[in-house]
Amino acid sequence: SQQGEEDPQALSIQEGENATMNCSYKTSINNLQWYRQNSGRGLVHLILIRSNEREKHSGRLRVTLDTSKKSSSLLITASRAADTASYFCATATSLYNQGGKLIFGQGTELSVKP
Amino acid sequence: GAGVSQSPRYKVAKRGQDVALRCDPISGHVSLFWYQQALGQGPEFLTYFQNEAQLDKSGLPSDRFFAERPEGSVSTLKIQRTQQEDSAVYLCASSLARDRGTDTQYFGPGTRLTVL
C-alpha cells in the first residue's frame, strides 16, 4: 500500500496561473522527491528536498517540506500547457535497511488549459 | 549519456504464460529498483538491488515474481504463470547510491504488461 496522500487528486487551471499540489506522508523520511509523469511515459525527476531542508527552488518550481506535519507542497508558477501531467511525491525512508526505496503518493493530475 | 532503458515497451500475454522484462540501468549506477504501477495509481515498490545483491524483495506480490541482476548491471523481472491482476506498467529505476540523503532515482519508460 502507498504511504502518501496527495491533494487535490485533479487540478485544472489556465495557462499563466500557479498550481499548488500537496502531499502528506506517514513515516520518518530521509528525503522527499517530486516526479512528473506524462501520459503513457516514465517518471521524470523534478526536485529533491532533504529532511533537514524546509524550502527549495528550481526554475518555476518551489517545494516546501514540513517534517512536523509530515507534509510537502509543490508550487508551479506561471504554468504552461506543457506542464499538463500527473505529479507524484515520493518519500525515501530513513530506515537504513530500506535501501532508499521510494514510497509514492497517488498523484495529482494537472491540466493546464491554453 | 543514455538513460534507463526497458524492453519490451509493450507486452501482451495470455493468462498462464511466463514473461520476462528487461532493464538496462544507467552505466555505473549501483542501485536498481523495480516498481509496479497500476492504472491511475502511483508506482509501488517491488524489489531492490545493490550491485548483484537483491537486498529487499518485500514488495514482490507473490512467489510468481522473480528478479535477478547477476552481473550487477542488467536486471530481469520474471513473472511466471501470469494472471490478469498482473496487468500494469513495470518501471525500473537506477541510482548512484553515493549519498542516501540526495540519491536521485532515474526511471525508465516502463513496460506495459497486459494479461488477457
Side-chain angles (χ1 to χ4, degrees):
Chain A
S1 63
Q2 289 161 315
Q3 155 159 249
E5 291 188 4
E6 293 186 58
D7 166 49
Q9 289 190 341
L11 179 61
S12 182
I13 59 174
Q14 293 294 130
E15 214 169 21
E17 292 180 341
N18 295 340
T20 299
M21 290 162 264
N22 303 296
C23 166
S24 61
Y25 57 92
K26 296 175 185 172
T27 62
S28 62
I29 64 170
N30 210 317
N31 64 64
L32 185 145
Q33 304 179 38
W34 285 89
Y35 286 83
R36 183 186 73 219
Q37 186 175 42
N38 290 86
S39 180
R41 297 198 172 182
L43 293 156
V44 174
H45 183 262
L46 295 176
I47 194 165
L48 179 151
I49 185 165
R50 300 180 71 156
S51 59
N52 60 355
E53 296 176 313
R54 292 296 167 257
E55 188 170 311
K56 204 161 183 181
H57 298 255
S58 176
R60 294 184 296 114
L61 305 180
R62 175 182 157 231
V63 169
T64 61
L65 178 64
D66 186 336
T67 52
S68 66
K69 294 181 179 177
K70 291 187 166 58
S71 67
S72 174
S73 68
L74 171 68
L75 168 68
I76 304 174
T77 60
S79 63
R80 305 166 182 168
D83 294 330
T84 295
S86 293
Y87 290 81
F88 294 92
C89 70
T91 53
T93 178
S94 57
L95 295 174
Y96 182 80
N97 64 356
Q98 299 293 299
K101 71 181 183 187
L102 294 175
I103 309 296
F104 285 83
Q106 300 273 19
T108 293
E109 197 172 320
L110 174 66
S111 174
V112 181
K113 300 186 187 315
Chain B
V4 178
S5 61
Q6 293 184 246
S7 61
R9 290 293 314 279
Y10 303 90
K11 177 69 179 178
V12 178
K14 292 184 180 177
R15 190 162 58 94
Q17 280 185 332
D18 297 349
V19 298
L21 312 180
R22 177 188 168 107
C23 172
D24 282 84
I26 294 172
S27 178
H29 277 197
V30 170
S31 294
L32 186 145
F33 302 81
W34 283 97
Y35 296 86
Q36 179 191 59
Q37 186 176 23
L39 188 64
Q41 303 292 314
E44 292 203 10
F45 170 79
L46 293 177
T47 187
Y48 153 65
F49 291 86
Q50 185 168 346
N51 295 308
E52 69 278 5
Q54 188 175 20
L55 299 185
D56 186 352
K57 52 182 181 179
S58 62
L60 296 176
S62 78
D63 58 8
R64 296 186 296 104
F65 287 70
F66 172 77
E68 60 183 5
R69 194 187 185 197
E71 296 176 1
S73 177
V74 171
S75 177
T76 303
L77 176 67
K78 298 179 180 177
I79 309 173
Q80 297 176 325
R81 305 181 304 281
T82 53
Q83 304 294 314
Q84 284 189 321
E85 61 262 28
D86 300 334
S87 296
V89 175
Y90 291 85
L91 296 164
C92 175
S94 69
S95 71
L96 277 170
R98 281 188 184 159
D99 177 351
R100 190 175 296 277
T102 58
D103 199 33
T104 298
Q105 292 185 26
Y106 296 90
F107 281 78
T111 294
R112 182 178 297 277
L113 173 65
T114 303
V115 182
L116 303 177

